[in-house]
Amino acid sequence: MLFWTLARKMYLSNLQYRSAHLVHNIASALFGLIYVSVWTGIAEGRSLGEYGLNGIISYVAFNQASLWVAAFLNNGLGMEQSVRTGQIALDLVKPVHLFYHLMSKEWGQIAYQFVYKFLPIYALYFFVLPLHVPSSVTTYLWTAVALTLAAYISICLNYLIGALALWTTESRWLYWVNYAFSMLLSGFLIPIEWLPSWLAAISEASFYPFLHYVPTRIYLGMEAPAALTGSVIWCALFTALCLAVTGIMRRKVEVQGG
């Protein structure tokens, strides 16, 4: 019940800013169209492997829309600001686990962004681009599962980034470092198999492909659902790490102000 209450309140709070968020949608959609134009130029005289021109356009378009589910989350789940105000001390003594509390709220944010950002951007691309559309309901279901797991991994990452603010008071830099690595290693800008071999090996050894590459490949019908085994493993590892870090936070809390 608490999960739904927190998620619903976060969802409803975002509804007040729908008009302002329209600007985000326009900018995001334009960036996606720019990436499509770049790949269209690259495709001249090239086969683009198993993707083909339509496949790579669909790859780029789906990735751009899914940013709002798997990447654009609240920086540190808002923990950095809580540390600065001293609110984190009160959050840690509440009768609800801090990770569960912040995670629940973030799911409300993700639900809002899926409805008001992912779907409108995808719908725009559907009408203006030659997108690949899965013919099987099963593909849609597995894609939804892949995106949900990607969102959870991103929640855990941001929780750990936020937790670091307890010791540094400033973790925003790590958010952007993670974002930069994600753009490079997650397959967002370019399919992982087209990266230099040493960089592809680093990517495949990390969790980043499960944020964009794997969900998009499942959507395109190029990857079996079994690929999500890695997503589940990383979710379990990150959950254990988030719980362990919270235990450390409870034993030692350093705040500035408040």
Side-chain angles (χ1 to χ4, degrees), residues 4-71:
W4 294 110
T5 299
L6 292 172
R8 180 174 176 273
K9 285 185 177 296
M10 178 60 76
Y11 182 92
L12 293 176
S13 68
N14 275 283
L15 289 178
Q16 303 176 53
Y17 305 102
R18 280 174 293 181
S19 298
H21 291 163
L22 180 62
V23 177
H24 295 167
N25 288 3
I26 294 173
S28 184
L30 288 176
F31 273 112
L33 293 175
I34 291 172
Y35 296 147
V36 167
S37 298
V38 170
W39 278 109
T40 300
I42 294 174
E44 292 186 7
R46 297 179 177 85
S47 64
L48 297 183
E50 64 178 322
Y51 295 95
L53 179 57
N54 284 358
I56 202 65
I57 288 175
S58 300
Y59 182 95
V60 170
F62 187 84
N63 265 331
Q64 185 65 28
S66 67
L67 278 174
W68 294 102
V69 175

Side-chain angles (χ1 to χ4, degrees), residues 79-85 161-173 254-257:
M79 249 192 291
E80 181 180 321
Q81 184 63 25
S82 295
V83 170
R84 289 184 178 277
T85 62
I161 290 172
L164 185 65
L166 283 161
W167 288 270
T168 66
T169 70
E170 172 62 66
S171 61
R172 188 173 299 272
W173 63 272
E254 297 180 9
V255 296
Q256 302 296 319

Side-chain angles (χ1 to χ4, degrees), residues 17-257:
Y17 305 102
R18 280 174 293 181
S19 298
H21 291 163
L22 180 62
V23 177
H24 295 167
N25 288 3
I26 294 173
S28 184
L30 288 176
F31 273 112
L33 293 175
I34 291 172
Y35 296 147
V36 167
S37 298
V38 170
W39 278 109
T40 300
I42 294 174
E44 292 186 7
R46 297 179 177 85
S47 64
L48 297 183
E50 64 178 322
Y51 295 95
L53 179 57
N54 284 358
I56 202 65
I57 288 175
S58 300
Y59 182 95
V60 170
F62 187 84
N63 265 331
Q64 185 65 28
S66 67
L67 278 174
W68 294 102
V69 175
F72 292 156
L73 276 61
N74 284 321
N75 175 22
L77 304 191
M79 249 192 291
E80 181 180 321
Q81 184 63 25
S82 295
V83 170
R84 289 184 178 277
T85 62
Q87 177 65 33
I88 189 66
L90 297 177
D91 291 339
L92 284 168
V93 298
K94 288 179 178 178
V96 58
H97 198 282
L98 181 63
F99 176 61
Y100 182 78
H101 177 206
L102 297 181
M103 176 193 67
S104 299
K105 292 173 63 177
E106 200 62 27
W107 277 119
Q109 174 86 8
I110 291 170
Y112 170 84
Q113 293 187 162
F114 176 79
V115 174
Y116 288 97
K117 296 186 176 182
F118 175 96
L119 291 180
I121 292 172
Y122 180 85
L124 172 65
Y125 290 156
F126 177 81
F127 287 109
V128 302
L129 297 174
L131 290 188
H132 165 84
V133 179
S135 57
S136 170
V137 175
T138 304
T139 301
Y140 283 106
L141 292 176
W142 281 115
T143 301
V145 172
L147 285 175
T148 301
L149 293 173
Y152 182 75
I153 290 174
S154 193
I155 286 174
C156 292
L157 280 171
N158 275 277
Y159 182 83
L160 295 171
I161 290 172
L164 185 65
L166 283 161
W167 288 270
T168 66
T169 70
E170 172 62 66
S171 61
R172 188 173 299 272
W173 63 272
L174 186 55
Y175 173 87
W176 291 112
V177 168
N178 173 64
Y179 180 78
F181 275 112
S182 177
M183 293 298 98
L184 178 63
L185 300 178
S186 69
F188 172 76
L189 292 175
I190 181 172
I192 291 173
E193 63 269 26
W194 293 351
L195 293 173
S197 57
W198 63 272
L199 193 57
I202 293 175
S203 172
E204 291 167 358
S206 73
F207 53 83
Y208 285 114
F210 300 104
L211 297 180
H212 292 291
Y213 180 74
V214 172
T216 304
R217 295 266 301 179
I218 290 177
Y219 163 78
L220 293 174
M222 297 178 176
E223 202 79 54
L228 294 178
T229 301
S231 296
V232 174
I233 292 173
W234 278 108
C235 284
L237 290 174
F238 273 121
T239 300
L241 185 56
C242 288
L243 295 177
V245 167
T246 306
I248 297 172
M249 291 163 62
R250 285 181 177 276
R251 290 192 294 271
K252 180 179 181 181
V253 179
E254 297 180 9
V255 296
Q256 302 296 319

